Amino acid sequence: MAPANLYPSQTLSGPETPFPPKVSSFQMIPAVIGLLYPCIDRHLGEPHKFKREWSSVMRCVAVFVGINHASAKVDFDNNIQLSLTLAALSIGLWWTFDRSRSGFGLGIGIAFLATLVTQLLVYNGVYQYTSPDFLYVRSWLPCIFFAGGITMGNIGRQLAMILLEVKVISRRVYQHQIVLSLNLEEYI
């Protein structure tokens, strides 16, 4: 049995699409998730202010990579132990790096939708697992999707904060230019 291809052979590229060559729709999903978090925060009126620096984001990425690595390399007696351990680690990742209700809700929503899409892909024969144990997929998969959603959300929030700072700085520079031009007109 050949390993499953993680990316479909048909990718969105060429003159008819706005995407660079070899970018598939699956590769765009993390970017959309990252951009979704600051939009939901703004819509709910809950600005996220917990641990807003790049070092925290990089630690979150490192913890996510560790959780993902643990799901593949650590041997447990059964999948329930693995699933419960990964669930605790994923919630710990949320508590350590996010702590927002919107982040938790989006993480749960992303885990549910991504698991559902994975189940549909496996059911239709696009992908396959060597030993599925929960409705065609592995039982620990939602925990990985949850942790990944929280991680992408932290990256998106940090990028949104930088964009906001750039916007504020450019507005101040523009206002300063107007004041300078008005002052120069007085001397002419």
Side-chain angles (χ1 to χ4, degrees):
M1 173 168 42
N5 184 6
L6 295 179
Y7 302 104
S9 59
Q10 300 295 325
T11 59
L12 296 173
S13 64
E16 67 279 353
T17 64
F19 301 114
K22 302 291 181 187
V23 174
S24 74
S25 58
F26 288 119
Q27 293 166 333
M28 296 295 291
I29 291 172
V32 170
I33 289 170
L35 295 173
L36 189 62
Y37 272 76
C39 294
I40 295 294
D41 289 342
R42 193 175 318 117
H43 179 71
L44 293 176
E46 293 180 357
H48 187 265
K49 296 186 191 252
F50 185 71
K51 292 190 178 184
R52 298 293 299 247
E53 65 271 347
W54 276 110
S55 61
S56 176
V57 172
M58 295 311 294
R59 283 191 302 271
C60 182
V61 170
V63 170
F64 171 68
V65 169
I67 290 171
N68 196 17
H69 187 70
S71 70
K73 297 295 181 184
V74 177
D75 284 332
F76 285 89
D77 291 337
N78 56 36
N79 281 331
I80 293 174
Q81 272 186 330
L82 175 62
S83 299
L84 292 175
T85 302
L86 291 178
L89 289 172
S90 297
I91 291 173
L93 179 119
W94 167 78
W95 182 255
T96 305
F97 297 106
D98 191 336
R99 292 189 190 178
S100 69
R101 289 182 298 157
S102 61
F104 189 78
L106 277 170
I108 294 288
I110 289 164
F112 176 76
L113 288 175
T115 303
L116 181 67
V117 168
T118 305
Q119 286 175 335
L120 291 173
L121 291 173
V122 171
Y123 179 75
N124 289 319
V126 177
Y127 302 112
Q128 62 184 356
Y129 284 96
T130 54
S131 57
D133 61 346
F134 175 69
L135 299 175
Y136 304 108
V137 296
R138 300 303 301 257
S139 60
W140 46 262
L141 195 60
C143 301
I144 299 297
F145 286 137
F146 177 83
I150 298 297
T151 303
M152 292 302 112
N154 279 338
I155 293 170
R157 284 174 172 153
Q158 191 67 25
L159 290 174
M161 188 178 77
I162 288 173
L163 289 176
L164 182 64
E165 288 174 3
V166 167
K167 202 183 271 188
V168 168
I169 290 170
S170 65
R171 187 177 300 135
R172 287 181 185 162
V173 168
Y174 179 72
Q175 289 172 349
H176 185 66
Q177 287 174 344
I178 290 174
V179 169
L180 284 177
S181 66
L182 290 175
N183 288 339
L184 288 176
E185 287 177 4
E186 292 176 5
Y187 293 113
I188 296 180

